[in-house]
């Protein structure tokens, strides 16, 4: 597992975020006790699955798998602090409410677009991290 810091644009209104990129072995250890699928997001930079996992000692991790194109195997796995993961979840849930309020034909920048933008920064920074 390798840690790295992701910086965002000032207008993103998100503080710098410490992220861990997990190897396959790290992922296996982090999820030994089971996983719970929370939500997924399909973007132009990949397909993302968000879930929490428990290791053999009961320690909970907040994880995201990234898939590219039609690959069945994930290209990366990231772990986040609970507060950062909560921010992602809040954006996702807020988008459900946001979409009810606007005409679906409008391409208005909403919470899920903001989430995809944040993921772009994370993936971009994470590409240089080898695990």
């Amino acid at each position: 597992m390798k840690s790295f810091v992701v910086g965002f644009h000032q207008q993103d209104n998100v503080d710098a975020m410490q992220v861990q990129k997990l190897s396959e072995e790290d992922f296996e250890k982090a999820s030994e006790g089971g996983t719970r699928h929370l939500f997924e997001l399909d973007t132009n930079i990949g397909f993302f699955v968000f879930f929490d996992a428990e290791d053999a000692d009961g320690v909970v991790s907040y994880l995201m798998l990234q898939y590219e194109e039609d690959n069945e195997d994930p290209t990366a796995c990231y772990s986040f602090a609970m507060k950062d993961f909560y921010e992602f979840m809040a954006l996702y849930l807020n988008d459900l409410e946001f979409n009810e309020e606007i005409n679906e034909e409008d391409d208005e920048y909403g919470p899920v677009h903001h989430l995809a933008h944040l993921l772009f920064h994370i993936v971009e920074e994470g590409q240089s991290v080898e695990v």
Side-chain angles (χ1 to χ4, degrees), residues 12-58:
D12 291 337
N13 293 321
V14 176
D15 293 333
M17 188 179 291
Q18 175 113 13
V19 179
Q20 289 78 41
K21 189 170 183 180
L22 282 68
S23 67
E24 190 171 339
E25 182 180 311
D26 295 329
F27 172 78
E28 293 298 326
K29 282 184 179 179
S31 61
E32 271 183 297
T35 62
R36 182 173 53 173
H37 178 269
L38 299 170
F39 66 97
E40 47 196 51
L41 184 64
D42 195 2
T43 73
N44 61 344
I45 60 167
F47 182 76
F48 299 91
V49 177
F50 295 82
F51 59 101
D52 56 18
E54 195 172 287
D55 69 10
D57 297 324

Side-chain angles (χ1 to χ4, degrees), residues 73-90:
D73 294 326
T75 54
C77 180
Y78 299 98
S79 177
F80 302 94
M82 183 174 64
K83 71 176 184 60
D84 297 327
F85 194 81
Y86 181 84
E87 179 73 24
F88 300 151
M89 198 182 250

Side-chain angles (χ1 to χ4, degrees), residues 65-111:
L65 290 175
Q66 174 195 3
Y67 294 85
E68 290 180 352
E69 296 181 16
D70 292 331
N71 285 342
E72 289 188 23
D73 294 326
T75 54
C77 180
Y78 299 98
S79 177
F80 302 94
M82 183 174 64
K83 71 176 184 60
D84 297 327
F85 194 81
Y86 181 84
E87 179 73 24
F88 300 151
M89 198 182 250
L91 287 168
Y92 181 79
L93 292 172
N94 280 334
D95 190 69
L96 297 176
E97 188 174 302
F98 180 80
N99 278 331
E100 290 176 0
E101 296 173 5
I102 64 169
N103 182 343
E104 289 188 20
E105 293 177 15
D106 292 342
D107 277 339
E108 192 171 335
Y109 187 84

